[in-house]
Amino acid sequence: MIKTRFAPSPTGALHLGGARTALFNWLYARNQKGKFVLRMEDTDKERSTQESVDEILESLKWLGLDIDEGPYYQSERTEVYKEKVEKLLADGKAYRCYCTKEELDAARQAMQKAGKKPMYNRKCRDKDGDQSKPHVIRFKMPIEGGTVFHDTLRGDVKTKNEELDDLIIRRTDGNVTYNLVVVVDDAEMGITDIVRGDYHIANTPKQLNLYKALGYSPPNFTHVSLILGNNKKRLSKRDGSGSVLSLRNKGFLPSAVVNMLARLGWGYGDEEVFTVDGLIGKFSLRNLTLSPAVFNDEKLAWLNVQHIKLMDNEKLAEAAMPFVKAKHQNATREDMLKLIPMLKERSRTLVELASGTDFFFAESVVFDEKAKAKFITKETKPALKEAIKLIEELGVTDSEKLNEAFKASAEKLSIKMKAMAQPVRVALTGKTVSPGIFEMMSALGKEESLKRIGMASSL
Ligand code: GLU
């Protein structure tokens, strides 16, 4: 059984890079009917915060990336790691290093001078010391030969062992370090496949040697390429993209964000629009691309429009509700079901959709001054009066019939349909841009429509 994991360090919000890593792991697990594990890598006590943990959990939930196991917290597993460090020491695969900072600096400088890659000179590797003195514990990397791992996208990646440092696995303060704990956890949790950012490639040979030393068999590795911003530089937290929750707050649908993230470094022919189920069915690690992916806000905006159109009205009403409620507390589901059909096709985000409902919930129409000056005038009064007459006669429920009647009246008054419709639009909403006037009137009802047009015509 395939088992993947997402292993964020909770030191900030979940941004697009992390979210994409989570998504690829989740999609692969779901495609293979495997399991998806969440593990908080919170060993850095200074930088890890509960706030970040909560935000990561909320972001994953919003994206719909449900977890099968966890969240595990590394901060709760120190006993396991301690035991493994002791085992490595007992097996002669790790050693205590008593070098002071000054000694390390001097050795490093000497190496640099000699034109060598600066690394620890292995001074304490085969020596006993006084254990009561401050010391770190280092892992004995092999010196001869090389380490090879197979990356799904890159094939065999080889490293000369002499280039691998005897890395510190436990610090002087007793805290264990990333490369050790990640190996222990991935092995103990039965992770079969690791998908992560390619900035971890340099860690993988180190980790492989730890797998070997601890008697574990290693998982499969897939390193995905960077995400670049619109400026072709590495996507940073400062880019427009922001965190997952900031996209939620801007009114993007989770399905659109998932679609956008999936397309950052994964493709399936020319297809652009994918539902979550479609992605699960089509996803494979082989179709990840090696070249960096470029994030583009226009593409996300476009995908959001597509996903709004794809969503059924009930679900869309539900998704839009928090945005509408923030502006119009008393809004109900019934109101939303009336409004969604006319707003669905014209809203790029849920924020826009919520603004589109303003006309409906307005206690009284607030006029845009320019709109009023242009369309609520002496000249437009006959059109408004005629509209009132038609609505009184025909009601507002049959939009098509009312539309035909408006056209006939426009002809009778020798004006264009637009000259008939625009004053009505301004009377109903205070603005020159809005959904269709007949749809709006049908949602507002006869009485309210007459009230608003009557009010405007008496100005
Ligand atoms: N906690 C690591 C990070 O956030 C993940 C390491 C890994 O995936 O192996 O970069």
Side-chain angles (χ1 to χ4, degrees), residues 100-170:
T100 60
K101 186 172 177 304
E102 291 72 29
E103 283 176 292
L104 293 174
D105 286 346
R108 206 171 292 128
Q109 275 167 17
M111 283 194 159
Q112 245 162 346
K113 251 193 196 149
K116 289 192 201 145
K117 179 176 159 189
M119 56 197 286
Y120 178 57
N121 62 10
R122 308 188 183 102
K123 184 172 156 212
C124 297
R125 186 163 162 130
D126 296 305
K127 264 198 233 155
D128 286 330
D130 175 359
Q131 292 184 24
S132 67
K133 287 210 176 124
H135 60 268
V136 300
I137 296 177
R138 291 186 183 268
F139 175 65
K140 269 189 197 172
M141 279 290 171
I143 302 173
E144 309 285 318
T147 300
V148 185
F149 75 89
H150 184 84
D151 179 275
T152 315
L153 305 175
R154 291 165 179 78
D156 285 349
V157 180
K158 297 178 191 145
T159 312
K160 283 189 195 144
N161 286 338
E162 61 182 32
E163 285 174 13
L164 300 175
D165 223 334
D166 277 359
L167 57 93
I168 295 173
I169 53 177
R170 197 174 81 191

Side-chain angles (χ1 to χ4, degrees), residues 190-458:
I191 304 302
T192 61
D193 290 81
I194 292 179
V195 182
R196 62 184 175 191
D198 63 4
Y199 46 88
H200 279 296
I201 283 186
N203 284 323
T204 307
K206 299 175 200 168
Q207 292 173 11
L208 272 183
N209 283 303
L210 279 163
Y211 274 98
K212 213 188 276 173
L214 289 164
Y216 297 133
S217 55
N220 301 313
F221 288 97
T222 308
H223 292 92
V224 290
S225 52
L226 291 179
I227 304 176
L228 304 180
N230 287 334
N231 57 4
K232 297 279 153 73
K233 291 218 180 86
R234 183 175 177 165
L235 189 69
S236 80
K237 297 184 181 180
R238 283 183 300 276
D239 273 304
S241 61
S243 65
V244 169
L245 293 190
S246 78
L247 294 179
R248 177 188 71 180
N249 299 341
K250 285 180 191 159
F252 291 101
L253 289 176
S255 60
V257 175
V258 162
N259 189 157
M260 178 274 294
L261 288 171
R263 289 287 293 110
L264 286 173
W266 176 84
Y268 195 82
D270 294 334
E271 276 181 55
E272 285 295 352
V273 182
F274 296 90
T275 61
V276 176
D277 286 341
L279 285 172
I280 291 174
K282 287 167 181 160
F283 188 79
S284 74
L285 295 176
R286 273 193 326 276
N287 286 355
L288 291 169
T289 53
L290 205 47
S291 53
V294 180
F295 170 78
N296 178 321
D297 358 272
E298 280 161 30
K299 179 92 165 278
L300 173 59
W302 180 80
L303 280 172
N304 208 46
V305 171
Q306 310 310 312
H307 280 264
I308 287 177
K309 284 186 193 161
L310 277 175
M311 206 168 197
D312 78 52
N313 290 359
E314 308 237 340
K315 287 221 173 90
L316 188 56
E318 205 177 299
M321 210 41 155
F323 293 89
V324 177
K325 284 257 189 202
K327 309 185 83 180
H328 311 293
Q329 250 180 9
N330 301 326
T332 65
R333 215 177 95 83
E334 284 63 45
D335 294 332
M336 287 310 294
L337 289 175
K338 263 192 233 168
L339 297 167
I340 290 282
M342 77 182 89
L343 297 173
K344 193 173 184 175
E345 297 283 326
R346 43 182 297 120
S347 307
R348 285 174 300 176
T349 65
L350 297 178
V351 170
E352 276 189 19
L353 195 149
S355 299
T357 69
D358 290 348
F359 82 91
F360 183 79
F361 297 106
E363 297 272 327
S364 59
V365 175
V366 182
F367 289 98
D368 173 60
E369 280 310 318
K370 272 195 197 152
K372 188 173 154 195
K374 188 158 176 209
F375 293 107
I376 309 295
T377 61
K378 234 181 25 220
E379 288 70 36
T380 64
K381 290 270 156 84
L384 289 171
K385 292 254 152 67
E386 182 69 15
I388 290 169
K389 203 185 92 200
L390 294 174
I391 295 162
E392 274 172 345
E393 245 170 59
L394 302 168
V396 292
T397 39
D398 190 339
S399 295
E400 226 154 276
K401 198 156 102 195
L402 195 57
N403 191 348
E404 288 310 315
F406 263 59
K407 275 190 202 151
S409 288
E411 227 162 275
K412 202 177 71 194
L413 296 171
S414 310
I415 56 174
K416 292 211 172 104
M417 176 61 171
K418 196 167 174 209
M420 178 90 192
Q422 209 57 352
V424 172
R425 180 185 314 282
V426 176
L428 292 171
T429 67
K431 299 192 178 81
T432 53
V433 180
S434 77
I437 56 169
F438 302 106
E439 291 167 293
M440 288 195 294
M441 287 194 279
S442 146
L444 285 168
K446 182 174 174 179
E447 199 185 323
E448 181 67 18
S449 304
L450 283 173
K451 190 177 123 202
R452 292 189 187 189
I453 303 169
M455 204 282 280
S457 75
S458 69

Side-chain angles (χ1 to χ4, degrees), residues 5 7-9 39 41 178 182 186 194-196 199-200 207:
R5 50 71 159 178
S9 308
R39 181 175 71 231
E41 305 220 312
Y178 161 70
V182 79
D186 284 333
I194 292 179
V195 182
R196 62 184 175 191
Y199 46 88
H200 279 296
Q207 292 173 11

